[in-house]
Amino acid sequence: MISKYRAQFNGSFSEKKYNSFIKMLESGFTNIPFRVAETPVFIPSELQKKLIEAGEEIIKLIKQPNFKELTKGAVPLNWNVPNENDHPHFLTFDFGICKDANGALVPKLIEMQGFPSLYGFQSEMARVYKESYALPPILTPFFNGLNEESYISLFKKVVLGKYAPQEVALMDIDAPNQKTAIDFLVTQKYLGIKILSLTDIFKEGNALFYMEDGKKIQLKRIYNRLIFDEIGDKTALFEQCFDPRSEIDIEWITHPNWFYRISKYTMPFLKSEFVPETHFLNTLSEIPSDLENYVLKPLFSFAGMGVIIDVTKEDIAEIKDPKNWILQRKVVYEPVIESPNGGVKAEIRLMYLWADGDEPQLCINLARLSRGKMIGVRYNKDFDWVGGTVGLMEG
């Protein structure tokens, strides 16, 4: 979107350079099972300012004293985890890049989560983009004056706290086989922590342990990457390890309840030029006459599952639990990224770190490119110049 960098990049692009970039990105880690885009996004300063402003408006709501009261219905009773802390350690806000009535670029909120994203991989990917494509040193993926060194230092502070790396583990249901395994490996490189599957951990009393080289090591903190939706029908696994919903002597980074509190559930409470009109389905006094301009989303799902794009009154009538659905005005993405084969739509994810005792800090970003009907892998299977990437800004 910064025209001079886009023209330079496109003018010198080749498939050979892209293949070399992917090879360098995977080197020393693992093969990447998801599509990485050919290009970064060059974010202009005016859009950067609007993204920052939009994020600050959301954080203002999250920091309200009554936020937990507002979101008390967000956490499903069967997945409520005890000992919830005062704030999440991670915030991620996804914005579709659109144009306003005057033709200016404007971000529109699509999704939000109080849950970690690819905090390791995004930093690594930005560095490899810059190196493999020989991009100008002035370009950075970081906000607030951070660089790679200071960013990793803050990331370490948030995840490790006062503990030694061996007392902290990144945990997922089957960590080595997750699509995001490369992020786990980069995080391990940065922080020195263990990568553990759920079943690698066992409970004695209220304490959690794992085995290494025949020795039992107590865990003090879990960098949680486990999404309960993925384990809904596999809770028998808890008998082999531990039940996250039980009373255990562990610090969660971040506590699982924040995944639900800061989510689609939060969006109806936001009133902003950067947030599309959103309603809990059960609060609608009447169905909008222009349903073609809305999308219907289940509250408790991830990765776009269950979303109804072309909504009808019949779809709404068939919903048996309307309190668990939102009706949201559609966001019209603008194909603002110039590729060799036409315009490409973009989404920017703002990624915050919130250390204990500090304020939330906007640190880095994630971008996704799309030519399909929606952002996401299954809508972009047959296209190039789509997939995961990162936004670069003039530092």
Side-chain angles (χ1 to χ4, degrees), residues 71-106:
T71 58
K72 64 182 179 182
V75 185
L77 291 176
N78 61 320
W79 287 115
N80 188 45
V81 174
N83 303 315
E84 183 181 322
N85 64 330
D86 292 334
H87 66 77
H89 297 92
F90 308 93
L91 294 168
T92 64
F93 307 146
D94 291 351
F95 294 92
I97 305 306
C98 310
K99 280 190 176 179
D100 64 17
N102 299 315
L105 297 180
V106 60

Side-chain angles (χ1 to χ4, degrees), residues 9 32 65 71 87 114 122 127 153-154 164 173 175 206 211 219 224 234 239 260 318 339 344-345 375 379 388:
F9 185 94
I32 301 172
T71 58
H87 66 77
Q122 289 305 113
R127 181 183 61 77
S153 177
L154 178 58
I173 182 172
N206 284 345
M211 299 297 295
L219 278 175
N224 182 46
K234 302 173 186 174
E239 297 174 12
Y260 296 103
E318 289 176 7
S339 83
V344 180
K345 294 174 282 190
I375 299 280
Y379 299 99

Side-chain angles (χ1 to χ4, degrees), residues 47 147 272:
L47 179 59
N147 57 28
S272 163

Side-chain angles (χ1 to χ4, degrees), residues 194-374:
K194 294 292 296 182
I195 301 171
L196 299 177
S197 297
L198 181 66
T199 50
D200 292 328
I201 301 170
F202 58 97
K203 181 180 176 184
E204 292 185 0
N206 284 345
L208 299 182
F209 299 87
Y210 68 95
M211 299 297 295
E212 185 171 57
D213 298 328
K215 295 180 180 178
K216 186 171 68 174
I217 300 174
Q218 185 176 355
L219 278 175
K220 301 295 180 66
R221 274 189 166 193
I222 290 177
Y223 175 33
N224 182 46
R225 302 297 292 269
L226 173 65
I227 296 174
F228 287 157
D229 295 55
E230 293 183 334
I231 203 169
D233 58 350
K234 302 173 186 174
T235 52
L237 281 175
F238 295 159
E239 297 174 12
Q240 304 173 37
C241 44
F242 73 101
D243 189 332
R245 301 164 296 185
S246 63
E247 284 289 344
I248 46 178
D249 184 14
I250 200 74
E251 292 182 15
W252 293 100
I253 309 298
T254 192
H255 193 282
N257 289 0
W258 289 107
F259 174 79
Y260 296 103
R261 288 191 183 277
I262 299 172
S263 64
K264 291 186 285 288
Y265 192 96
T266 320
M267 294 185 68
F269 301 111
L270 290 162
K271 309 301 176 188
S272 163
E273 64 175 301
F274 304 117
V275 181
E277 174 193 345
T278 308
H279 303 275
F280 292 112
L281 194 56
N282 67 320
T283 66
L284 278 178
S285 55
E286 61 180 349
I287 297 172
S289 58
D290 58 338
L291 270 181
E292 68 275 10
N293 294 320
Y294 288 81
V295 61
L296 192 60
K297 298 180 178 180
L299 288 176
F300 304 116
S301 72
F302 66 102
M305 299 297 290
V307 172
I308 301 174
I309 303 170
D310 300 311
V311 188
T312 65
K313 289 184 177 180
E314 290 72 26
D315 291 325
I316 293 175
E318 289 176 7
I319 300 297
K320 295 181 173 59
D321 55 343
K323 69 177 182 179
N324 292 325
W325 290 74
I326 56 170
L327 188 68
Q328 183 180 88
R329 183 166 283 278
K330 282 181 180 176
V331 168
V332 180
Y333 291 74
E334 188 71 20
V336 293
I337 309 297
E338 295 177 19
S339 83
N341 301 307
V344 180
K345 294 174 282 190
E347 195 170 279
I348 304 290
R349 173 175 296 171
L350 299 183
M351 297 164 60
Y352 298 74
L353 290 170
W354 195 343
D356 291 328
D358 289 345
E359 292 294 307
Q361 185 168 347
L362 176 57
C363 298
I364 196 168
N365 73 87
L366 179 154
R368 293 190 291 176
L369 303 186
S370 172
R371 297 179 190 268
K373 197 167 188 177
M374 285 180 68

